Amino acid sequence: MTTMSESRMRLHFLSLVLLCCVSPSSSFTFKYDYSSFVACGPHQSQALTEFMNEFDSSHCNLSDPFNGVWCDNSTGAVTKLRLSDCLSGTLKPNSSLFRLHHLRFLVLIDNNFISSSLPSEFGSLNRLEVLNLSNNSFVSHVPSSFNNLSFLLLFDLSHNELTGSFPLVRNLTKLSLLKISNNHLSGALNPSCSLFELPHLRYLDLEYNNFSSSFSSEFGNLNRLEVLSLSSNDFFGQVPPTVSNLTSLTELYLHHDQLTGSFPRLQNLTMLSVLHLNDNHFSGTIPSSLVNMPFLSDLDLRVNDFTGSIGFPNSSTPSRLEYLYLGQNHFEGKIIEPISKLTNLKILELAFLNTSYPIDISFSSSLKSLMHLDLSGNSISSDSLGSKSVIPTNLEILLLPGCGIIELPNILKKLEKLEFIDFSDNRIKGKIPEWLWNLPRLTSVFVPNNSITGFKGPMDVLVNSSLKNLDIEKNCFEGAIPILPLSINFFEASYNRFTGSIPLSICNYRSLTLLKLSNNNLTGPIPQCLSNLTAVSLRKNNLEGNIPEAFYTGASLQTLDVGHNLLTGKLPRSLLNCSSLELLVVDHNRIKDTFPFWLKALPNLQVLILSSNKFYGSISPPGRGPLGFPELRIFEISDNKFTGSLPTSYFVNWKATSLTMNEDGGLYMEYIKFTSSRLYYNSLEVIDLQYKGLRMEQERVLTSYAAIDISGNRIEGQIPESIGLLKALIAFNFSNNFFTGHIPLSLANLKKLESLDLSRNQLSGTIPSGLGTLSFLAYINVSHNHLKGEIPQGTQITGQPKSSFEGNAGLCGLPLQETCFGTIAPPTRQPSEEDEEVLNWKGVAIGYGVGVLFGLAIMQVIASYKPEWLVKIIGPNKRRN
């Protein structure tokens, strides 16, 4: 290769063995024969150089021995190319890549192909035997031209954003491995699907897509399969008996689907080592022969409707099961005795078994290899937790939440390998014994929601422990915050009775990432040193002073909640350094400042709550355009002294305009994900929300929750019609202000709205009839305005109390006693589909300058109707030359 090319890519590789796997592991190995490299021909070198120049390749890790290029011994043509985590840019159809017609091996993984569809030109590389394009953010569908790659042995499109139906692969008859998992493919896999015409297929992974069909009996045709994953789709119905044809299967993943019926017929699958059927609707009993399958080591049957018991292992051929998950079924008989015979178990999960008898934990004493035991949600026999009881000494993780336990069992003293314990939601009283902290490997202790009053021993009893994660939330701890070990990473102590100030020793905890001390009786200032944290919650204490500037010197902070304290001063401008900030809550303090328009520079801010402070001035940005804050979903600034009016375009370009925000289950504010060993612990912020006329403390921000509350200020003028763009809005409160004009017609577009409060303003006109069509509207209050006419009739409105409409002298109709005497109320037209299209267009037009020009052209077509509020945003029509 030329010197110039050598500067861009490394021409030295080890021979490769490409191992493709599905979670948790795979025995499937794909081997490929690699010849030694030689110098590449000049034309090929030029094509490669041009290809690299099409992208930003400054992040290429060319020290990785697997990145680079191989060329053919005799011709010098490029035959193998691998670039991982190298390229950033758009892969275009005219890319120089598609001039490398001799490629047999092409691996482009973990790149950043921005807004790139899969080019159909890949189909011209018809000598390819290995094609791996995984984890590149490719969008759109899979072109039919890929069906031209008839020599393909391995084809991987996993972890992209691909849509459409199952790709055409009929001509890929040599294919041995096919992975298209973690995309958005949909539709049915019917008997005519080209998938079932691949006779050599050994590895098939379709998991995490949107396929929806019955489990086709045609899968039985793929009788060379060794690994099959159809999990996390919408496959439904029974598993057909033809699955028993797949006698080479070693791993079968059918979890997180909608499968029903009895246990599948798997008796012929004697090579099976991994079987995951969890999170379906299987019922009936588990075959007694299952645990005697000769190679089965990983069995997951959780969250189904299985009853009965499991079979006893055959004494002549002991079970090889190492991982067994049976929780959340409906076992009626005793299943503990046969499980105690599975002596090779390493992980055992029996959570929420719904059995009618307490479990004697000593059954596990025979499981000498057991490292992970989960008995969550079961009743545990108190006798089995005594000091004379025996449980496996190899235990590393012990999960006993919700088991009715009244004290930390002494048997823990013997578990010197113990790393993680969870005794949450029990009835433990008194103090945590001192011996617990002497366990040499203990890193994580979770005991929330008990009645524990403190720690036995001196104040520094924890200092020399190996503790990294401690959760003592919702107990009865008193006195000062304990002195923690320097290794602490996660400390959750909310909802206790701690007093005094936050100790300055906390500044020494360099590993601390999450600190939650809310709902205690702490006083004094916030320490100046908490700069490297991911989440801080100090709400509902009696903390004083300013929010310190030095608090926010790093970019890792995601959650900051200091609401309900006695804080004064201004919001620290150093918050601009917190580029990862998602939630900022400072409500119910004494902060005196203007509205923080500067926070819109934070790209991830989703929740902003400033309520009940001394904020003042206008909340309209300079230039009176849209507010900004594109990711904002919860916006509460109630009970301050904000003034001024809102421009019509105020709510344009908010993230809450996205209809897709709710389609996948909605906004679930999961702010902190903490990982310890093999487990995840989710900490979701507590927020006070004004909802349906009541202020409620939400321990978890509601699914699909998007809310705006600017009540209790001095804001005047009209309510912006652009509010109708916020399609995901659940709660909307503009009460106790000085708003005038009409209630926006566009409110009828908020199909998910549940709570609407416009009371105590100076609104006039009629109530839009479109509000009567909002099927989720459970609370409405328009009292104490100047409204007139008939109250729209609809189930959601007529069911409201009279107080929701009183104080409007001109209103009549139910639920008020005043009748309309048969007169025709002024018309209250609801927005048409045309209006909605204009609203949707406007959201784009304001956000993008080019969209304005396009929108003006559209307006020429729909000039028959142009609402007054839209004219105010974009101006009258102008003729283009």
Side-chain angles (χ1 to χ4, degrees):
M1 181 174 277
T2 63
T3 303
M4 180 174 61
S5 298
E6 288 175 349
S7 68
R8 292 186 174 274
M9 56 193 71
R10 179 174 176 167
L11 291 176
H12 179 69
F13 286 86
L14 304 173
S15 59
L16 297 179
V17 175
L18 184 63
L19 177 65
C20 295
C21 60
V22 292
S23 179
S25 65
S26 174
S27 59
F28 182 91
T29 304
F30 185 91
K31 294 184 178 180
Y32 196 83
D33 181 28
Y34 295 91
S35 58
S36 59
F37 71 91
V38 296
C40 297
H43 296 296
Q44 301 294 308
S45 299
Q46 181 179 356
L48 281 169
T49 302
E50 291 177 4
F51 175 59
M52 296 292 287
N53 285 334
E54 293 170 15
F55 303 94
D56 174 6
S57 56
S58 58
H59 299 294
C60 267
N61 180 16
L62 296 180
S63 63
D64 182 347
F66 296 121
N67 271 347
V69 61
W70 290 260
C71 293
D72 185 82
N73 281 333
S74 57
T75 67
V78 175
T79 56
K80 307 177 186 74
L81 174 64
R82 173 169 176 142
L83 294 172
S84 172
D85 194 21
C86 272
L87 310 175
S88 180
T90 301
L91 181 59
K92 299 177 180 179
N94 61 351
S95 170
S96 300
L97 172 68
F98 303 119
R99 288 160 45 196
L100 304 176
H101 295 293
H102 295 275
L103 274 174
R104 292 164 51 206
F105 177 104
L106 177 59
V107 174
L108 302 175
I109 60 176
D110 301 318
N111 293 293
N112 183 25
F113 292 133
I114 303 168
S115 303
S116 293
S117 299
L118 270 177
S120 61
E121 283 71 17
F122 274 108
S124 66
L125 304 177
N126 54 17
R127 299 190 186 189
L128 279 174
E129 298 173 30
V130 172
L131 177 59
N132 189 340
L133 302 176
S134 61
N135 201 23
N136 286 308
S137 302
F138 283 121
V139 298
S140 192
H141 65 285
V142 181
S144 60
S145 61
F146 279 76
N147 194 42
N148 298 336
L149 306 178
S150 57
F151 290 103
L152 268 188
L153 302 174
L154 182 150
F155 189 20
D156 190 343
L157 293 175
S158 61
H159 294 273
N160 283 290
E161 303 294 332
L162 299 172
T163 57
S165 57
F166 189 87
L168 181 64
V169 292
R170 182 169 288 110
N171 292 338
L172 311 187
T173 55
K174 295 185 178 182
L175 204 60
S176 182
L177 181 147
L178 176 60
K179 286 191 70 173
I180 54 175
S181 58
N182 295 84
N183 281 286
H184 306 291
L185 301 175
S186 58
L189 298 183
N190 51 47
S192 63
C193 179
S194 58
L195 167 67
F196 304 121
E197 300 178 22
L198 304 178
H200 299 288
L201 203 59
R202 294 166 53 199
Y203 185 113
L204 176 62
D205 185 0
L206 308 182
E207 68 179 13
Y208 290 98
N209 278 287
N210 301 313
F211 294 118
S212 179
S213 67
S214 60
F215 193 126
S216 176
S217 61
E218 305 298 316
F219 275 102
N221 297 341
L222 305 176
N223 53 19
R224 294 195 181 186
L225 275 179
E226 297 176 21
V227 175
L228 172 61
S229 179
L230 305 180
S231 59
S232 299
N233 282 281
D234 286 311
F235 289 105
F236 56 83
Q238 299 186 12
V239 177
T242 54
V243 73
S244 62
N245 296 342
L246 308 180
T247 54
S248 297
L249 267 187
T250 61
E251 302 180 23
L252 178 58
Y253 301 91
L254 301 179
H255 53 279
H256 290 285
D257 279 304
Q258 304 295 327
L259 299 171
T260 57
S262 57
F263 200 95
R265 298 182 185 179
L266 305 177
Q267 59 269 27
N268 291 342
L269 310 188
T270 56
M271 303 298 293
L272 208 58
S273 64
V274 178
L275 176 59
H276 288 186
L277 302 180
N278 52 292
D279 293 271
N280 280 287
H281 305 288
F282 291 114
S283 59
T285 58
I286 300 171
S288 58
S289 59
L290 187 64
V291 297
N292 291 312
M293 297 185 78
F295 299 105
L296 189 63
S297 63
D298 184 347
L299 176 61
D300 193 342
L301 305 178
R302 286 174 293 181
V303 196
N304 278 288
D305 297 312
F306 289 121
T307 57
S309 181
I310 67 169
F312 281 83
N314 190 321
S315 57
S316 60
T317 56
S319 172
R320 294 195 182 191
L321 272 176
E322 296 183 352
Y323 311 102
L324 178 60
Y325 307 86
L326 295 176
Q328 298 186 62
N329 278 285
H330 302 282
F331 296 111
E332 299 166 355
K334 292 189 175 183
I335 66 168
I336 297 302
E337 186 177 358
I339 290 176
S340 67
K341 308 292 184 181
L342 304 175
T343 54
N344 290 313
L345 282 180
K346 294 180 180 178
I347 295 179
L348 176 60
E349 190 273 323
L350 299 175
F352 300 96
L353 286 179
N354 299 310
T355 58
S356 57
Y357 58 90
I359 293 177
D360 186 340
I361 197 172
S362 62
F363 83 90
S364 63
S365 60
S366 60
L367 308 178
K368 304 299 184 183
S369 301
L370 197 65
M371 296 185 296
H372 178 140
L373 177 60
D374 183 357
L375 297 175
S376 305
N378 293 295
S379 176
I380 303 298
S381 168
S382 57
D383 295 338
S384 67
L385 294 174
S387 57
K388 296 182 179 179
S389 297
V390 179
I391 59 176
T393 56
N394 283 319
L395 271 182
E396 298 175 4
I397 297 174
L398 179 60
L399 308 180
L400 296 175
C403 294
I405 297 171
I406 59 175
E407 65 178 357
L408 287 173
N410 288 327
I411 56 173
L412 299 183
K413 290 182 180 180
K414 306 173 184 178
L415 306 181
E416 294 191 353
K417 295 183 179 180
L418 199 62
E419 298 177 5
F420 190 111
I421 61 171
D422 186 347
F423 283 79
S424 57
D425 301 299
N426 280 290
R427 295 179 290 158
I428 301 172
K429 297 181 180 179
K431 295 185 177 182
I432 297 178
E434 188 172 353
W435 56 258
L436 183 67
W437 315 114
N438 295 327
L439 294 175
R441 298 187 183 180
L442 190 66
T443 61
S444 303
V445 174
F446 290 81
V447 289
N449 204 15
N450 282 282
S451 300
I452 302 171
T453 56
F455 301 98
K456 286 185 178 179
M459 276 291 294
D460 61 352
V461 66
L462 303 177
V463 167
N464 295 320
S465 71
S466 55
L467 198 63
K468 293 183 179 180
N469 309 294
L470 178 60
D471 186 349
I472 56 174
E473 179 187 24
K474 295 183 180 177
N475 278 284
C476 305
F477 285 87
E478 298 178 327
I481 298 291
I483 302 174
L484 300 169
L486 295 178
S487 58
I488 197 71
N489 173 259
F490 171 107
F491 183 47
E492 161 67 285
S494 301
Y495 295 91
N496 280 285
R497 303 169 186 171
F498 286 114
T499 55
S501 59
I502 300 174
L504 291 179
S505 61
I506 212 161
C507 298
N508 300 324
Y509 306 147
R510 301 300 182 188
S511 299
L512 188 65
T513 59
L514 187 146
L515 177 66
K516 297 187 70 176
L517 300 174
S518 62
N519 292 77
N520 281 285
N521 297 307
L522 300 172
T523 56
I526 297 174
Q528 296 275 340
C529 59
L530 305 179
S531 59
N532 296 317
L533 301 179
T534 300
V536 178
S537 180
L538 305 175
R539 100 184 265 99
K540 292 195 174 179
N541 283 284
N542 296 300
L543 300 172
E544 300 174 322
N546 295 351
I547 303 175
E549 285 278 350
F551 203 155
Y552 318 103
T553 59
S556 59
L557 189 70
Q558 295 178 15
T559 299
L560 175 63
D561 186 350
V562 293
H564 288 265
N565 281 287
L566 306 173
L567 300 173
T568 55
K570 297 183 176 183
L571 287 180
R573 270 47 179 179
S574 58
L575 283 171
L576 281 175
N577 297 324
C578 305
S579 58
S580 300
L581 193 65
E582 297 176 356
L583 180 147
L584 177 61
V585 180
V586 299
D587 62 309
H588 290 84
N589 280 285
R590 301 170 183 175
I591 298 171
K592 189 174 184 180
D593 202 350
T594 56
F595 184 81
F597 295 107
W598 44 273
L599 284 175
K600 68 181 180 182
L602 299 179
N604 301 304
L605 190 64
Q606 300 177 43
V607 177
L608 178 62
I609 300 182
L610 311 177
S611 303
S612 299
N613 277 283
K614 298 181 179 179
F615 287 97
Y616 62 92
S618 175
I619 61 171
S620 294
R624 291 185 58 78
L627 179 60
F629 296 88
E631 296 292 327
L632 207 59
R633 282 93 183 271
I634 294 181
F635 180 56
E636 293 213 2
I637 58 171
S638 61
D639 298 311
N640 280 286
K641 298 180 180 179
F642 289 119
T643 57
S645 60
L646 307 181
T648 309
S649 61
Y650 195 72
F651 297 109
V652 169
N653 293 336
W654 277 33
K655 185 71 173 183
T657 62
S658 171
L659 289 175
T660 59
M661 191 182 89
N662 304 84
E663 289 172 357
D664 59 354
L667 173 64
Y668 197 63
M669 297 269 181
E670 190 174 11
Y671 291 106
I672 304 303
K673 272 194 174 180
F674 147 71
T675 308
S676 177
S677 299
R678 304 159 183 82
L679 300 180
Y680 289 96
Y681 181 86
N682 298 327
S683 177
L684 302 176
E685 284 303 319
V686 177
I687 297 178
D688 287 340
L689 295 173
Q690 184 82 14
Y691 184 65
K692 297 183 181 179
L694 301 173
R695 181 159 290 279
M696 300 180 293
E697 187 175 77
Q698 300 291 339
E699 290 194 8
R700 298 169 185 265
V701 177
L702 299 178
T703 300
S704 306
Y705 205 85
I708 296 176
D709 185 353
I710 63 173
S711 62
N713 283 285
R714 303 171 184 176
I715 302 171
E716 56 190 13
Q718 296 189 4
I719 297 174
E721 281 279 357
S722 56
I723 190 66
L725 291 167
L726 307 189
K727 303 289 183 64
L729 205 61
I730 298 294
F732 178 45
N733 189 349
F734 273 30
S735 64
N736 287 280
N737 279 284
F738 297 101
F739 285 107
T740 56
H742 293 201
I743 297 175
L745 294 174
S746 62
L747 284 175
N749 290 331
L750 307 183
K751 304 299 184 182
K752 298 182 183 296
L753 196 65
E754 298 178 10
S755 178
L756 173 63
D757 194 343
L758 302 176
S759 62
R760 298 186 183 278
N761 280 286
Q762 299 175 22
L763 299 171
S764 58
T766 59
I767 300 175
S769 60
L771 295 183
T773 67
L774 300 180
S775 56
F776 293 104
L777 190 60
Y779 175 84
I780 180 173
N781 191 345
V782 294
S783 62
H784 301 285
N785 280 285
H786 305 299
L787 301 172
K788 62 183 179 180
E790 184 178 6
I791 298 172
Q793 298 303 293
T795 304
Q796 301 300 326
I797 291 183
T798 55
Q800 300 293 323
K802 292 191 297 183
S803 59
S804 291
F805 302 94
E806 64 187 11
N808 292 282
L811 278 184
C812 59
L814 293 175
L816 296 178
Q817 293 180 349
E818 295 81 359
T819 65
C820 296
F821 301 104
T823 59
I824 300 176
T828 55
R829 182 183 59 78
Q830 64 187 57
S832 65
E833 292 183 3
E834 188 178 32
D835 298 342
E836 188 167 336
E837 289 179 6
V838 174
L839 270 172
N840 289 333
W841 167 83
K842 178 182 63 61
V844 178
I846 297 299
Y848 305 97
V850 175
V852 173
L853 298 177
F854 179 70
L856 290 174
I858 291 178
M859 292 303 296
Q860 304 258 351
V861 178
I862 59 172
S864 58
Y865 171 70
K866 179 166 61 180
E868 181 181 354
W869 63 268
L870 184 61
V871 176
K872 292 180 180 178
I873 295 179
I874 65 172
N877 289 341
K878 295 181 180 179
R879 183 179 300 275
R880 293 180 59 194
N881 294 327

